[in-house]
Amino acid sequence: MTPTDHLANSASLAWHHHLARLFQGVASSGFPLLLEQTLRELVGFDTILINTYKGQRRPLLIHDNYPATQRQQGIERYLNQAFLLDPFFKAVYDGLESGAHRLRELAPDRFENSDYYHHYYRALGLTDEIGLFARVDTDVVMVVSLGFRDDAPRITRRDMLALRHISPVLEVLLGEYWKWQEHRFHQCLAEREPVEEAFDSFGRERLTARERDIVRLLLAGHSTKSAARQLGISDGTVKVHRKHVYQRLEVSSQSQLFRLFLDHVAMVSRQQAG
């Protein structure tokens, strides 16, 4: 099939009408909603979040479709605490800046066993997620997160191919939107303080630097083997460090460690805000 064949069918005409509306509205504040409506023509997602990431600062929410009853769990908890353990946030931090990526491609090997997954992710009823990454400025990455619940159709290979094929167009559109609308968010983004301090200071008085590295990996969903591989040490060394972490922080499980960490993040956030 030639490019002309693709462009000559009725489905292509409808899709190009959607694209035309996106280009027409790219400079307006209503663009995120237009983008949501357009993406629904491709993939039957349940939730959408459009967040802007700048360094280690808290994400800046641009758009979402969460109902009021889920905002505390789905939005506020994420922006205030949970994002630190989000594989998408970690991917941006590690330098991923463009393309369509499935959560399971970016997540650690034991992500579905992590407390972050159970206490935040599964609490929203989500079973899968696709992130559309776009660098919109020198130090700013925008991520469109499409969430899928238990009763949603499975994400197919065709869905992912479609999103990956349109990613270059979406990156340009999001870049243009940011260029025109950045002034609306600039002050909020600048005021959102870095929270890397929460990771750096967690257990600082009781744990060694290596033990804090291991805590970060385990909380994010890495297995002992994966954490060992990330740090270039043996599985046995990770187990010994984990045992020491539990003893020194006076916890007996990873769930208790997770709750202790969230309490620490909340305390650091209050200190930075005050």
Side-chain angles (χ1 to χ4, degrees), residues 10-251:
S10 57
S12 176
L13 175 62
W15 172 245
H16 281 83
H17 275 304
H18 286 295
L19 280 182
R21 283 195 291 272
L22 281 179
F23 281 107
Q24 188 175 39
V26 74
S28 73
S29 60
F31 172 76
L33 180 58
L34 278 176
L35 179 59
E36 176 187 341
Q37 294 166 346
T38 302
L39 290 173
R40 284 194 184 282
E41 297 297 318
L42 293 178
V43 183
F45 58 87
D46 292 297
T47 65
I48 183 169
L49 281 174
I50 303 180
N51 281 310
T52 300
Y53 298 87
K54 182 176 182 179
Q56 289 297 286
R57 298 179 183 275
R58 280 189 178 84
L60 176 63
L61 178 66
I62 303 296
H63 175 75
D64 73 274
N65 71 339
Y66 278 77
T69 54
Q70 288 191 318
R71 293 197 69 78
Q72 179 61 34
Q73 174 73 17
I75 306 296
E76 301 302 329
R77 189 174 180 190
Y78 176 80
L79 295 178
N80 289 329
Q81 296 176 326
F83 78 91
L84 284 165
L85 300 173
D86 180 12
F88 286 172
F89 175 76
K90 181 67 163 54
V92 172
Y93 177 70
D94 288 343
L96 184 63
E97 57 184 47
S98 62
H101 302 274
R102 200 168 178 176
L103 179 71
R104 64 183 55 179
E105 299 168 353
L106 303 177
D109 60 343
R110 290 184 63 82
F111 176 68
E112 293 187 1
N113 293 321
S114 69
D115 287 282
Y116 168 83
Y117 180 83
H118 289 288
H119 289 279
Y120 172 74
Y121 200 80
R122 284 296 293 160
L124 294 172
L126 297 178
T127 57
D128 211 341
E129 194 171 7
I130 297 173
L132 307 173
F133 292 68
R135 180 164 292 280
V136 296
D137 206 341
T138 305
D139 57 350
V140 178
V141 175
M142 196 174 289
V143 179
V144 180
S145 300
L146 307 178
F148 299 81
R149 294 202 171 103
D150 292 310
D151 54 354
R154 290 189 59 183
I155 299 171
T156 66
R157 181 174 177 273
R158 189 179 183 87
D159 293 334
M160 286 305 304
L161 281 175
L163 291 172
R164 283 175 175 148
H165 288 171
I166 68 166
S167 287
V169 175
L170 294 183
E171 184 167 18
V172 171
L173 286 167
L174 289 167
E176 286 299 306
Y177 167 75
W178 185 251
K179 183 189 301 180
W180 285 100
Q181 298 294 322
E182 177 187 7
H183 65 279
R184 296 177 53 227
F185 309 112
H186 182 72
Q187 184 174 354
C188 291
L189 194 59
E191 288 175 351
R192 288 177 172 257
E193 71 282 353
V195 291
E196 183 70 6
E197 171 64 19
F199 266 130
D200 289 343
S201 61
F202 180 58
R204 182 183 290 164
E205 296 180 356
R206 301 187 189 183
L207 306 179
T208 66
R210 175 62 82 196
E211 287 166 350
R212 295 202 304 273
D213 289 340
I214 288 171
V215 165
R216 183 170 190 161
L217 291 170
L218 294 178
L219 286 175
H222 286 271
S223 65
T224 297
K225 186 177 294 294
S226 177
R229 187 167 56 249
Q230 291 276 326
L231 297 173
I233 58 180
S234 71
D235 296 5
T237 301
V238 171
K239 291 177 181 177
V240 170
H241 281 309
R242 184 175 60 190
K243 181 179 179 181
H244 290 163
V245 166
Y246 283 14
Q247 290 173 342
R248 291 170 181 171
L249 295 182
E250 299 178 356
V251 298

